[in-house]
Amino acid sequence: MNLKINTALISVFYKDGLCEIVNKLNEFGVKIYSTGGTYDFIKNSGINVQTVESLTSYPSIFGGRVKTLHPKIFGGILFRRNNAKDTEEQIQYQVPPIDLVIVDLYPFEETLKQNASEDDLIEKIDIGGISLIRAAAKNFSDVLVVSSRKQYDCLKKILIEQQGETTLAQRKYFAAEAFNISSHYDTEIFKYLNQQHDINVFKQSIEQANQLRYGENPHQKATFFGNIDEVFSQLHGKEISYNNLLDIDSAINLINEFDEPTFAILKHNNACGCASHNDITEAWKLALQADPVSAFGGVIITNKTVDKSCAEEINKLFFEVIIAPDFTIDALNILQSKKNRIILQQKQFDIPQKQFRTILNGIVEQDRDNCTGGTDGLDFMTEKKPSEEQIRDLIFANKLVKHSKSNAIVLAKNRMLLASGIGQTSRVDSLKQAIEKAKNFDLSLADAVMASDAFFPFADCVQIACEAGISAVIQPGGSVRDKESVDYCNANDMIMVSTGIRHFRH
């Protein structure tokens, strides 16, 4: 049912875009009530406007904390026009109907990002505004609620095309938007207040949504929720897909482990190539050596600027995505030679410290695995101790195995990934897979190091590694049979180091 707007209540924090709306309402003879700064803005725009106090006969009190919380305001919004009893009381108590509510909320989230004091934040918790929004949204049968300046264009279009009238479908849609805004607002306040407590509930709210072409497979719908522009700028290429995003996430998490110039190549969320070298072009060449077959169509990431010579080498490979903190102009010109190639300039951003996923009929949440460890946390388990170069390789391999699907084994030397065995149901199978891959690409395992994401339940893995030429092993430790692996290493002049930290990744 179409309803004409006769009376409006307007009280907003942000005034941009409001002038056109009030002018249009004035054209249709709508009576406008307003508060404080919004009243002054409308009046100064030359539009006839009434104060809320003229309706309630009550002033704004407590520093503006109480302005609109009054029966004549909420009664005008909430009374049901088709309910005889409501109409009778509306007449009895002289409550004027309010058909349109334009109210936004104090900027709590924006103030929080400014590291404001708690007193300032508390004053940005809206009470009257959110109450008005909820009231108007509840009575969508009779009232249109506009709860964000982002909706002004849509409102203006409705006013012009329908001559100041609204349909039930439109009012219901705006009500849904209003509850979306109010629920997000309350969630952000709760999360702030719960920082010093531990009320164990799952509450997340993300307003930005990006519809993706499809999900993991073409028959699956998918959406990315979040502000992806905070993470990187897309300089070139096609639309980013669901699978691209998964690989990009894995790539960024991996590269963040390294301070020295490093290149990594990922496929299906796992590194198939990675190397650290003072010369970034050399780092690329070494990274590619590990598995040039898997690198085809992969995601490439580096933590240093890509220059012309580096881009010339990279451009020899077909790949989907490249991510770097910067690119020289010459490098961009080379890399942009492929129309669909996605080129991303990474930004500094805050990585969420909680991870969650849907399982069964609910959600599991965990802390992000921020433990990798350096030399301070190492326990030298064997009689033979590693050299400084071996320690660097062991830590390098441990960073890689942390970001590989379990069961995972990584083989490395001279800060270069030689091969990895990932996602196997047996740790022995993961090791055999890694050894076979290294052989396939003629990469020597002599004096290489091995990293395992979890402990060795038996000595079989260190025996196989030793027979392949591997000289040092890093693992979490903690097996009741650790001694068997240590004894084998001691008997065969091998090195074993434990970290005390497991890195399962499923």
Side-chain angles (χ1 to χ4, degrees), residues 300-314:
I300 299 167
I301 190 165
T302 183
N303 55 3
K304 300 300 177 184
T305 298
V306 176
D307 59 19
K308 181 181 178 182
S309 64
C310 187
E312 286 172 341
E313 291 296 324
I314 296 169

Side-chain angles (χ1 to χ4, degrees), residues 394-413:
L394 288 167
I395 292 172
F396 174 87
N398 197 46
K399 289 176 179 179
L400 281 169
V401 85
K402 171 186 171 182
H403 294 276
S404 302
K405 294 286 186 182
S406 299
N407 287 311
I409 293 288
V410 164
L411 309 179
K413 185 178 178 181

